Amino acid sequence: MVNQRKLATKLKLSQAAVSKALKGSADISEKTRARVLAAAAESGYHPNPLARALNGGRTGMVGILTRRYTGYFFIRLQMALFQELEAHNLVPLVSLAGATEAENGKALGALSRYRPEGMVVFQPWPEWTHPQLTELSASGMPVVSLAKGAIPGLCNVLSAEREAARELTEHLLSLGHRHIAYWGASSEDGPLAARGEGYVEALERAGLSWQSALRIPHVASLERVAMEEAVVAYMHEHPETTAIFCEVDDMALAAIGALRRSGYRIPEDLSITGFGDNLKYPNDMALPPTTVSHQPEQLAKLAVRLLTQGIAGEKIAGDNWVYCKIVHRASVASPSKERKLK
């Protein structure tokens, strides 16, 4: 790889002279600057952003604080973010966070040493926060949180999950469903609470009251066999149910598989929805679930747009929302008049 030292040797100049010529310093003659620039272009020289950072110049780098994700949604989101950064001539510098405040602080410190021009934080749960984030933002560094939960004091890019859950439930209601069960672990302060809130809001708008009998017992272990047993048992106890709103796509897949094996026709006897569009090859499935997409490409576009505005000196702050999109698939239909109750 060609560096300034090699250019200096080739041109028989000092490395300091080459550096000044590349930076456009006034104390270098136009003739020398032209020679250096021509040689740099010919040899394919590119500035080393790390060296520029250590010298206090602009780096073109953006710190990415993330975790090890295996879900398809997060893979799509990260790839979309990297592509957006590349389109803006920004280089991602990734650091993996941990499960404790100390580990997060160490990861942030590692990024800060390279003087990134901004920071993007993948923050899956609201409690994953570190004081250094707000300190960085307060110091003038643009920090964008790409998260499920807003971090006070930061510029947050969020998915409008509550509205999407309400819209999905309203879609089921419009098809004629009146007994719509909810399957998930949502609590009032949980990370997926907005999905349950949107579901309940849609029921109430339709004049239907939320009842505890509409909740399918949650399987904390998420063990597949236990999940399948839970949903089949619920349907045996509540045969009036015509639709199930599953909090995540994995639950929808478990419900579809178990209930079809138990003799239910999906969607004739029972409609099932997921949430998250976290399936890599849905079209290869025998019965892919209707779901909600967070539109990761749109999340990435908004995050990078806000980040570049912050790098340019504009003030960025507050909660910035991206609309979620319902993905209609074969697992939902109007209740059949010839429905076979089990």
Side-chain angles (χ1 to χ4, degrees), residues 270-291:
L270 191 66
S271 289
I272 298 174
T273 73
F275 203 108
D277 197 21
N278 203 26
L279 307 172
K280 190 172 184 180
Y281 300 113
N283 293 334
D284 291 344
M285 297 178 179
L287 190 60
T290 290
T291 187

Side-chain angles (χ1 to χ4, degrees), residues 59-118:
T59 66
M61 292 191 293
V62 171
I64 308 293
L65 183 62
T66 185
R67 285 182 173 175
R68 292 181 178 88
Y69 295 111
T70 57
Y72 183 53
F73 162 72
F74 283 107
I75 293 173
R76 284 179 62 193
L77 181 57
Q78 290 187 358
M79 291 304 299
L81 181 68
F82 294 158
Q83 290 171 1
E84 283 297 311
L85 290 172
E86 182 180 4
H88 287 79
N89 296 315
L90 294 169
V91 179
L93 183 65
V94 179
S95 185
L96 293 176
T100 68
E101 185 173 301
E103 291 173 328
N104 292 339
K106 183 178 179 181
L108 277 170
L111 289 175
S112 299
R113 283 197 297 272
Y114 296 106
R115 300 176 187 171
E117 296 188 38

